[in-house]
Amino acid sequence: MTRSAFVLLALLSLALSPACAPKKERLPETALPPGVAPQVPPILPADRARVYAVGATAPRDLLVAQVVAHAGLPWVEALSGAAGRMALDPTARPDPLDARWLAAVAGYPHHVDAVIFGEEAAGAFPVGLLRALDGRLPPGAQLGLARARVLERDRWVALIGLPAVELAAFPREYAKGAPLLLPADRPGRWALVSPLGALRSGALPVDAVLDVDGEWWLEIETAQGKTGLPLYVDMDTPPAPLLRSAGERVAGPAETEARAHAVLAELREAFGAPGLSPEATLRALSRQPLDEAKEGRWDGEAAVGRLRAAGFVDGPAVALRCAGPTVPACVDQWMRAPAARAQLLDPALGAAGFGVETSTDGVQLVLQAAAP
């Protein structure tokens, strides 16, 4: 069966997830299983798939199966593949950006909310990891859980997924010119951003043509929630994410501003868009919207209006804000929002200025960009 035919036959069903903030469940405090013999090796789920699908719900690793059965955990295969990939890497850190990327590579089609690491003696039951998970799994959550043998010890990784829509299996990679036809069983909307920053959208079902090679972004939204996923046209899924924040620390405002320009430059270069020159007027104009954002009064339309009034009247004008633990984590929020992603990748932009606020909690950025 061809990819196009596969897509034509793929069914997309959108399912309700818990809409309110649910009461968090505590893990059962019963007698712990004994674990397994140290010589019993871990069995890791596949960490790469070309199709988005949640996968099986029963682990083949005997010790992981004990943990899942003991605590009644909502284990899923695709998310566990991503957890296993992180567990195998002794340099990996609990970075949500890495986890979300690895989850997509493993075929998990939902948002990854948290990453938890643990370490035990080989074959030992992971009491510490269960304590770290206690109270962190709301109803409706899904769990990726895996262990890997690293330096004669078991390295455990747990990933918490929060599905908002339920998707039937569909491919992540396509040939150029392939149709993307995804039926739906309820009302909603879709948005699709091309590698050139072109934004397309409409009411469900999805009906579009993937006519540009490179990385696309698909978002599907209903009243129950939304999910966003990368698609790849005439290219393999890249081996690593563009944006990573593991090990990065927040510096002072000047260093953070320089870092923001560097991240944006790397991002646009990866998509073939021209670089953005730092522009003093745009930087100065970012001060007011940054102050408003800090006070909870962000108004993107008003910020764009001030850019126009200041003389940036020809071509696009962009005003975006984000807040996160690091600059890459902040910019990643824009890349996961279709409208903001389209603006970031617009090839007609030529100049940019940042407003920056740093604290012990992370950074807050306001980007002002316009045509040169």
Side-chain angles (χ1 to χ4, degrees), residues 48-253:
R48 192 174 186 89
R50 293 181 179 271
V51 172
Y52 285 119
V54 169
T57 55
R60 293 189 300 130
D61 184 294
L62 295 177
L63 184 49
V64 174
Q66 283 186 14
V67 175
V68 169
H70 168 76
L73 298 173
W75 188 93
V76 295
E77 185 176 30
L79 190 55
S80 297
R85 176 76 175 273
M86 296 188 84
L88 275 172
D89 182 0
T91 67
R93 302 191 183 191
D95 177 18
L97 268 65
D98 280 352
R100 289 165 192 159
W101 168 259
L102 292 174
V105 171
Y108 185 69
H110 304 300
H111 177 70
V112 178
D113 186 61
V115 186
I116 301 170
F117 279 31
E119 188 174 301
E120 299 283 352
F125 195 83
V127 178
L129 186 74
L130 282 181
R131 287 173 178 164
L133 279 171
D134 194 10
R136 298 191 64 176
L137 289 170
Q142 294 175 334
L143 183 70
L145 182 65
R147 67 177 178 125
R149 190 67 48 82
V150 178
L151 300 177
E152 300 182 354
R153 292 180 64 82
D154 281 350
R155 194 163 190 256
W156 289 80
V157 175
L159 304 180
I160 299 175
L162 299 178
V165 298
E166 185 174 324
L167 306 174
F170 69 101
R172 186 176 62 251
E173 299 176 2
Y174 298 84
K176 184 177 179 179
L180 183 64
L181 303 173
L182 301 177
D185 68 348
R186 66 190 65 199
R189 295 194 62 80
W190 60 271
L192 192 63
V193 184
S194 82
L196 301 178
L199 174 62
R200 309 171 192 178
S201 61
L204 289 174
V206 180
D207 184 356
V209 176
L210 302 172
D211 53 1
V212 178
D213 58 287
E215 180 183 289
W216 294 66
W217 185 260
L218 170 67
E219 182 179 272
I220 298 169
E221 182 174 12
T222 72
Q224 289 74 46
K226 61 185 175 183
T227 191
L229 299 165
L231 306 176
Y232 294 93
V233 176
D234 266 9
M235 66 175 289
D236 293 331
T237 302
L242 282 172
L243 296 170
R244 306 187 72 176
S245 63
E248 185 159 325
R249 297 186 179 184
V250 176

Side-chain angles (χ1 to χ4, degrees), residues 300-340:
E301 291 185 5
V304 170
R306 288 191 288 269
L307 293 180
R308 298 299 190 192
F312 296 97
V313 294
D314 296 323
V318 173
L320 298 173
R321 72 162 295 271
C322 65
T326 65
V327 170
C330 207
V331 175
D332 183 67
Q333 295 172 22
W334 292 334
M335 290 297 286
R336 290 177 176 272

